[in-house]
Amino acid sequence: DTGVSQNPRHKITKRGQNVTFRCDPISEHNRLYWYRQTLGQGPEFLTYFQNEAQLEKSRLLSDRFSAERPKGSFSTLEIQRTEQGDSAMYLCASSQLQGRHYGYTFGSGTRLTVV
Amino acid sequence: DAKTTQPPSMDCAEGRAANLPCNHSTISGNEYVYWYRQIHSQGPQYIIHGLKNNETNEMASLIITEDRKSSTLILPHATLRDTAVYYCIYQTGANNLFFGTGTRLTVIP
C-alpha cells in the first residue's frame, strides 16, 4: 500500500467550469476526510465519510461542493461553477481506529487554480 | 473548534534540539494531542501523539504537562529536512482534526 493517493496533483480551470478530484485512501481505513488549505493557513475540514456514509459536512462546504464515496472505497470531490475563491490545495486523509484514537494519513493534495 | 496556540515561527541551528511549544488549555481529559508537520507543497505528515504520558518515537519526543494544558515537541537533532510548518492539534468529539496556523520552523545550517 502506497498511502493515500490523490489525483490530479494540479488542476487549472477557468472560472465557471466544474472540476472533480479523486482520493484513494489506504485500503483498510474506513474513514475518509476532505480538507481545504489556502496559502498561509492550516488545513480546514470540509467533510468526512465512514465507509460510504457522509457523516459530517462543514459550513465551508457550499452547495457547489459535493463529495461521494461509493462502496466505501475511493472518494470524489466535485466543485461546480468554480470561483476564484475556490483556488486552494484540497487534501484527502484516511484513518482507522488504533486503540482509542484515530491515526490519520494525508495525501499530497490536489492544487486547484481557478483563473 | 479545538483551539491551540503556537508561536508563528522559530529558528533552530542544524544539529541542535528544536523545542516547539503548544498551549491547549481547553483540552479535555480524553482528547489526544497530535503533532503533524507539513513540508512545502506536501500533505501533513504525522509525527507523534500523546494523552497524558510523555512519548518518544523515531522522529520526536512529546512532553505533556501534568495539567495537560500545554505540550512541547522535541526534535532532538534538527536537520535541514526538518524545516516545515509544525501543527499541534487535538481531536474533539467531532471526529476530525482542527488545524491552526502552526509554527514555521526554519533549521539554519
Side-chain angles (χ1 to χ4, degrees):
Chain A
D1 195 338
T2 56
V4 177
S5 176
Q6 292 188 247
N7 288 288
R9 288 297 310 275
H10 303 274
K11 178 71 175 178
I12 300 174
T13 191
K14 291 184 179 179
R15 189 175 54 185
Q17 297 294 304
N18 299 343
V19 293
T20 300
F21 311 139
R22 176 177 171 127
C23 172
D24 287 273
I26 293 174
S27 56
E28 61 266 29
H29 286 187
N30 61 354
R31 290 193 171 191
L32 185 148
Y33 308 78
W34 285 99
Y35 284 77
R36 182 178 71 182
Q37 185 174 24
T38 54
L39 196 62
Q41 301 299 313
E44 296 173 293
F45 169 75
L46 292 178
T47 189
Y48 97 93
F49 293 83
Q50 180 154 316
N51 300 313
E52 66 275 12
Q54 188 173 16
L55 296 185
E56 187 173 347
K57 291 193 285 188
S58 161
R59 62 186 184 280
L60 295 175
L61 209 67
S62 76
D63 291 344
R64 297 183 296 104
F65 287 68
S66 63
E68 295 182 343
R69 192 183 182 198
K71 302 178 182 179
S73 56
F74 70 92
S75 176
T76 58
L77 178 68
E78 180 183 17
I79 309 174
Q80 297 181 326
R81 305 181 303 282
T82 53
E83 302 173 356
Q84 286 188 321
D86 297 331
S87 295
M89 173 80 84
Y90 290 85
L91 292 161
C92 176
S94 67
S95 74
Q96 66 175 359
L97 192 61
Q98 298 172 353
R100 291 184 295 163
H101 81 102
Y102 281 87
Y104 292 71
T105 301
F106 283 83
S108 296
T110 294
R111 181 168 296 283
L112 173 66
T113 303
V114 182
V115 297
Chain B
D1 292 358
K3 176 71 173 176
T4 61
T5 304
Q6 299 177 253
S9 64
M10 293 181 64
D11 293 339
C12 177
E14 187 179 16
R16 303 298 293 270
N19 296 278
L20 291 87
C22 178
N23 288 322
H24 32 78
S25 58
T26 59
I27 196 170
S28 67
N30 62 350
E31 291 168 343
Y32 284 84
V33 177
Y34 295 84
W35 282 82
Y36 281 75
R37 73 179 182 184
Q38 190 172 26
I39 297 169
H40 183 62
S41 296
Q42 297 182 20
Q45 175 192 22
Y46 167 82
I47 302 173
I48 199 166
H49 73 278
L51 184 62
K52 295 180 181 179
N53 299 320
N54 298 337
E55 302 287 344
T56 296
N57 64 19
E58 65 277 6
M59 291 182 68
S61 295
L62 175 61
I63 308 298
I64 303 173
T65 58
E66 192 169 343
D67 63 6
R68 300 205 339 113
K69 294 185 183 302
S70 65
S71 62
T72 300
L73 178 74
I74 301 172
L75 307 178
H77 306 287
T79 71
L80 298 179
R81 289 180 294 179
D82 292 323
T83 292
V85 178
Y86 288 76
Y87 295 100
C88 165
I89 306 157
Y90 63 94
Q91 179 181 340
T92 70
N95 294 312
N96 58 73
L97 301 177
F98 288 95
F99 291 78
T101 52
T103 296
R104 181 172 298 278
L105 175 70
T106 303
V107 180
I108 302 168

